[in-house]
Amino acid sequence: MAKDALWWRQAAIYQIYPRSFYDSNGDGIGDLNGIIEKVPYLKSLNLDAVWLSPFYPSALADGGYDVDDYRDVDPKIGTLKDFDRMVKALHKADISLIIDIVPNHSSNQHKWFKEALASEPGSKARDRYIFRDGRGKNGELPPNDWPSHFVPSAWTRTNNPDGTPGQWYLHLFAPEQPDWNWDNREVEEDFLKTLRFWADRGVDGFRIDVAHALKKDLKRIYTAKKNNVDGFKIPQNGTDVLFDRNEVHEVYKTWRKLFNEYNPPKFAVAEAYVKAKRRMLYARPDELGQAFNFDLLGAYYGAKDFKRIITENLKLAKSEGSSSTWVFNNHDRVRHTTRFGLPKKVDLRTWLLADGKSHKVDMELGLQRARAATLMLLALPGCTYLYQGEELALPEVPDLPESELADPIWKRTSGTEKGRDGCRVSIPWSEATAHKHFKGLSAEIQESASDSMLNFYR
Ligand code: NOJ
């Protein structure tokens, strides 16, 4: 049965980070067939939709947010055929599917980036990305001093085909994630092709990664002052050189027209790290329709703050004709059972860096609070995003050995920031295979315990 066009306004959406969800063939990495096998489990959670984090071919320089090919499946985790079977299985269980679209950057393995590297400065191939000559006598200095989100610099120098040092390219994240030039028509058209490719395959919606960064004022590259990579600290009028520029909304207006060609229209949600008022612009009905509200992710447990956040966001969503969204967990943040079990004053980055040894987590308190907070979350009007494993009350794993740290943040900060691997540890389906921090929390055990977190979420 076709869903109501506005189903997503009151929905429970469950995020799957595919490589750590379920490994169906025992090769050490979660896969699409694993998701198919777990459809009955997903169904038992009474979800409206699954949001699938990137599953595209990728060297995993940033957990799949470095995409080699936007219209294929990573052979490490499946095939397009598996994808189609997964869509079918989810739909049969009445679960919609939302996929991640990563339009700010590709990977450095994308065929267009390889072509750009092999082409001359000023060529058509280079114009799809943001290449510039360096400053200094021999171009040895980056075009400016912008930092990347994964520090230090947002620029990396290339080598010319003859081995001599060449131009620099912009990457707001890791060097393996070159930023697209959204003033380039081919780039724009290629993304429309990608959206249509998946929409025609039955995907019901899209989560738009770093939605606020696509349009940049490239004319200001050599003159712009040091820019702040924090979208909360930029001017609130759409004139920042990198983030939340007014023109970015034109992109989403075009996308909305494409989404509305389908019945029901495709759903979309923006990941836009900007202040609430500006964030809601992405959620307008003629744009993406919804934007993540991360305020609860950053809040400590407590009625006063919760109430303020809820009141503000209900009001804001109404003002733009959208619905509110609520999130306690995702693949970028310390899990909420752990956050709520630590004293309020604890700086989570410092705690992670100390392998969780600087402060003890009061797990019983964390669990009680997580339970109460979740009950509140699921009772709120609007759309709730849940992250795989929170239904099992999984804690953060703060002491992964260095050899298991895959987040680029760890390496690029020279080990001064741990990164996000601790919330991406594989789901414990059975006790035998559970990570040591997850013993006693496996799905197998919680299944039959009527007072388990799993049954509470159901
Ligand atoms: C936001 C994603 O949630 C995060 O995991 C990723 O590293 C960045 N965008 C870059 O794509």
Side-chain angles (χ1 to χ4, degrees), residues 418-436:
K418 208 48 161 316
R420 302 158 295 178
D421 294 293
C423 66
R424 300 173 179 180
V425 175
S426 293
I427 297 299
W429 295 106
S430 70
E431 275 305 290
T433 58
H435 184 279
K436 68 171 191 252

Side-chain angles (χ1 to χ4, degrees), residues 298-435:
Y300 192 69
Y301 183 86
K304 205 166 150 221
D305 281 350
F306 285 174
K307 185 174 178 190
R308 178 184 47 78
I309 290 169
I310 292 164
T311 313
E312 264 172 31
N313 280 285
L314 286 176
K315 213 165 120 194
L316 269 172
K318 207 168 166 195
S319 71
E320 293 298 345
S322 182
S323 69
S324 314
T325 58
W326 313 107
V327 189
F328 270 132
N329 296 278
N330 68 24
H331 64 297
D332 291 331
R333 298 295 188 96
V334 171
R335 285 187 177 275
H336 83 321
T337 45
T338 299
R339 293 203 310 267
F340 295 161
L342 280 166
K344 187 172 182 177
K345 64 173 193 320
V346 171
D347 174 64
L348 294 171
R349 288 182 183 183
T350 315
W351 179 78
L352 278 175
L353 198 60
D355 285 350
K357 292 191 178 84
S358 60
H359 291 86
K360 206 174 148 23
V361 184
D362 183 339
M363 243 4 247
E364 202 181 302
L365 181 66
L367 279 176
Q368 269 176 19
R369 287 176 162 179
R371 206 175 254 258
T374 299
L375 185 61
M376 172 195 76
L377 195 80
L378 289 165
L380 292 173
C383 180
T384 305
Y385 284 87
L386 305 169
Y387 173 50
Q388 67 178 36
E390 67 170 90
E391 78 280 15
L392 299 174
L394 299 187
E396 184 78 6
V397 177
D399 56 354
L400 288 168
E402 253 184 62
S403 58
E404 286 177 34
L405 297 181
D407 189 338
I409 290 178
W410 170 248
K411 274 216 182 91
R412 286 182 54 80
T413 61
S414 311
T416 55
E417 209 181 304
K418 208 48 161 316
R420 302 158 295 178
D421 294 293
C423 66
R424 300 173 179 180
V425 175
S426 293
I427 297 299
W429 295 106
S430 70
E431 275 305 290
T433 58
H435 184 279

